[in-house]
Amino acid sequence: MVRNMVVLGGSSHPHLTEAICNHLGIPPAKILLGKFSVGETRVEIQESVRGKDVYIIQSGGGKVNDHFMELLITISACKTASAKKVTAVLPLFPYSRQSDIPYNKVGAPLARVGPGQPGGSAAAAAGGKPGYTFDSRPQTPYPGQAESAGLANGSDMLHRQLGRLQLDHRHANGVNGIAPTRQSTCGSEDNSNFANNNSSSSNSANSSTKRRSDTQDSETSNHSGSPLTKPPNFTPQRGYRQWVAQAGTLVADLLTCAGTDHVITMDLHDPQYQGFFDIPVDNLYGRHLLRRYIQYKIPNFREKGVIVSPDAGGAKRATAIADALGMPFALIHKERRPTQISDRQNATMMLVGDVSERTAILVDDLADTSNTITRAAKLLKKEGAQLVYALVTHGVLSGDAIERIKASALDKVVVTNSIDQTENARRCAKLEVLEVGNVFAEAIRRVHYGESISVLFNYD
Ligand SMILES: O=P(O)(O)OC[C@H]1O[C@@H](O)[C@H](O)[C@@H]1O
């Protein structure tokens, strides 16, 4: 029984709150969570937290925005009720993939587009249904874009902002017989290289603004008489997305403003996200759980197994497990250049390493749509793997993820219950769930008594 501690559970994951409280030997505090008919969140803490250390359990899956708002209100309620210290326990940190720029495979927001629009798939065009694109929407501003239908249909505010950023359409297109030699920072491949070389790949507003004014300077000099050539055809460049919100900073600020004194989380997608806070953030590792699963549940893992990272970003995490278990390692490289490979599904993935006749064990921090792990599994089987496991810390499994897994080459998907998996496990026999309640309970206990958290990172 721990003293002077209150554990409050948000509505995202009651099972985990219960598991944590069981380990700590205290009941969860009474809290009323609901909604007013207008949809606003209602929180009422039904017991005293005065002078107590409060731990609020709320995870980032499911109705993530509602859960986050509920968390902020609960933190604030604890503070105004004179709690001594408030710790937000976020097994999956919400918005953690938006710590810098919006996530996706190529670094631009995944957007729905209508048939016939740039980026709309052929299938979408044929079926008349909207498709999805990894292109930035709205597109990177470029000369003349204000006249395009896409922008005309966009919000007025965005339109105005983009309009301010645009170069003179007539200059860029050589109307009036004047065309700049280097017309824009956000145009052709050539120009994109030019911009990157001069900006150390920074996307910040300042550097972007600077690049733009450099360009305008160069245009002016062109006007003053140097020989001018027709610019290359303009294609919008990926990468410059000044108008896209960087929600990670906002989320960190909101938590701090609401009154959070401490954050406990697990396997942050980007560990550097901790640096967005000026309060302590304990980022627990899920890999110990995954490692133990391999040791105790995967037959002949040492002789037959190979750890695979589905992308370069997860290589460090995967090699840590491979090294600890003395296992070989393979990497799937996502090739973004066009190739002649006829199998379009796998055209952008290449395997580095040998999985032939082996049990391939994919390791990743999270599976959301499960596109990554299902595509990786297909490739691994094609390369001769006998069995494919996917071991991921956070099973977000949104949208059609469960159907995708069921239909995939994956033999087993192992996730922790950092997000509630009750329904997913019921729907998918391939899914196995590891308990994280004990890990979080021990972290909470250690934080509460001022004991070392790092020992939690070292256990086998
Ligand atoms: O392909 P889905 O499951 O949607 O997304 C999961 C991938 O996206 C990345 O951020 C994760 O690290 C993982 O590799």
Side-chain angles (χ1 to χ4, degrees):
M1 175 81 177
V2 278
R3 281 193 314 253
N4 221 30
M5 176 194 285
V6 170
V7 175
L8 286 169
S11 55
S12 62
H13 202 340
H15 294 309
L16 188 63
T17 305
E18 208 180 301
I20 290 172
C21 286
N22 283 343
H23 282 284
L24 291 170
I26 57 170
K30 290 194 182 71
I31 184 169
L32 181 81
L33 300 167
K35 290 266 182 151
F36 293 103
S37 62
V38 69
E40 291 175 1
T41 300
R42 179 183 177 201
V43 174
E44 206 178 291
I45 300 166
Q46 296 183 318
E47 54 189 82
S48 173
V49 295
R50 180 177 293 277
K52 304 266 179 62
D53 287 350
V54 182
Y55 296 82
I56 305 169
I57 322 291
Q58 185 77 299
S59 204
K63 295 176 183 163
V64 59
N65 292 330
D66 275 355
H67 294 152
F68 186 62
M69 196 65 206
E70 185 185 271
L71 173 67
L72 294 176
I73 294 172
T74 309
I75 292 165
S76 176
C78 291
K79 278 302 208 194
T80 51
S82 300
K84 188 168 137 215
K85 182 183 168 201
V86 176
T87 300
V89 182
L90 298 156
L92 167 62
F93 196 98
Y95 286 81
S96 58
R97 286 199 288 175
Q98 296 192 45
S99 56
D100 180 7
I101 52 172
Y103 69 90
N104 69 41
K105 312 289 183 288
V106 293
L110 181 62
R112 190 183 270 261
V113 292
Q117 278 180 264
S121 67
K129 290 183 186 150
Y132 290 92
T133 175
F134 288 112
D135 288 339
S136 176
R137 288 288 177 274
Q139 286 183 340
T140 302
Y142 61 91
Q145 192 180 23
E147 284 81 7
S148 77
L151 273 180
N153 294 335
S155 77
D156 284 352
M157 173 68 88
L158 188 58
H159 194 133
R160 277 199 298 277
Q161 286 171 346
L162 292 177
R164 277 203 299 277
L165 298 174
Q166 284 166 352
L167 303 177
D168 184 331
H169 176 61
R170 285 167 302 167
H171 289 172
N173 287 322
V175 180
N176 298 337
I178 301 171
T181 47
R182 251 198 238 282
Q183 67 181 23
S184 167
T185 57
C186 44
S188 67
E189 287 295 318
D190 292 343
N191 288 336
S192 90
N193 291 337
F194 170 67
N196 286 339
N197 290 342
N198 283 285
S199 68
S200 310
S201 76
S202 166
N203 279 334
S204 74
N206 287 345
S207 64
S208 303
T209 309
K210 183 173 183 314
R211 290 202 299 270
R212 190 165 295 99
S213 68
D214 289 350
T215 308
Q216 283 167 334
D217 288 349
S218 90
E219 280 194 315
T220 311
S221 69
N222 286 332
H223 293 183
S224 66
S226 58
L228 298 169
T229 54
K230 196 169 185 302
N233 285 342
F234 197 99
T235 48
Q237 172 201 332
R238 287 178 177 142
Y240 168 66
R241 297 172 301 278
Q242 185 183 14
W243 61 92
V244 176
Q246 300 190 352
T249 318
L250 177 66
V251 166
D253 288 349
L254 286 170
L255 280 168
T256 316
C257 285
T260 311
D261 298 296
H262 195 134
V263 170
I264 302 175
T265 187
M266 179 176 266
D267 275 1
L268 274 173
H269 179 65
D270 179 359
Q272 292 175 355
Y273 194 21
Q274 287 170 93
F276 285 42
F277 290 88
D278 52 11
I279 54 172
V281 177
D282 287 313
N283 181 27
L284 309 178
Y285 293 148
R287 64 173 175 245
H288 304 291
L289 291 167
L290 307 184
R291 194 166 101 193
R292 269 188 299 200
Y293 181 89
I294 296 170
Q295 285 174 301
Y296 296 111
K297 293 286 193 77
I298 301 185
N300 302 324
F301 71 92
R302 228 182 281 278
E303 299 77 37
K304 293 214 70 179
V306 51
I307 302 288
V308 184
S309 175
D311 55 32
K316 199 172 164 190
R317 187 180 301 112
T319 47
I321 294 182
D323 291 348
L325 295 175
M327 292 173 65
F329 171 74
L331 173 77
I332 293 175
H333 171 63
K334 287 180 185 162
E335 175 58 77
R336 286 170 188 157
R337 286 168 297 181
T339 71
Q340 296 302 313
I341 302 170
S342 55
D343 181 357
R344 298 307 304 166
Q345 182 73 5
N346 286 328
T348 56
M349 295 178 115
M350 288 190 302
L351 181 69
V352 183
D354 183 17
V355 298
S356 179
E357 304 292 313
R358 288 180 167 272
T359 300
I361 305 164
L362 285 159
V363 172
D364 210 347
D365 62 330
L366 63 88
D368 184 356
T369 63
S370 292
N371 267 320
T372 302
I373 53 171
T374 52
R375 289 184 66 195
K378 185 177 176 188
L379 177 65
L380 293 169
K381 283 269 169 89
K382 200 171 143 193
E383 296 289 335
Q386 280 177 347
L387 286 171
V388 181
Y389 286 71
L391 271 59
V392 297
T393 307
H394 305 297
V396 181
L397 306 181
S398 63
D400 297 334
I402 291 291
E403 278 65 39
R404 203 164 283 126
I405 289 170
K406 281 196 211 168
S408 75
L410 285 160
D411 295 289
K412 181 76 86 182
V413 176
V414 181
V415 299
T416 75
N417 66 343
S418 63
I419 301 160
D420 195 357
Q421 298 295 334
T422 319
E423 181 58 16
N424 291 336
R426 193 187 59 73
R427 286 172 56 204
C428 182
K430 288 182 183 178
L431 196 69
E432 199 160 330
V433 183
L434 307 178
E435 176 65 53
V436 284
N438 50 347
V439 179
F440 279 97
E442 182 59 13
I444 289 171
R445 197 192 64 74
R446 285 176 175 274
V447 166
H448 190 65
Y449 288 120
E451 295 174 15
S452 166
I453 287 286
S454 59
V455 297
L456 280 178
F457 303 148
N458 298 329
Y459 63 80
D460 288 313

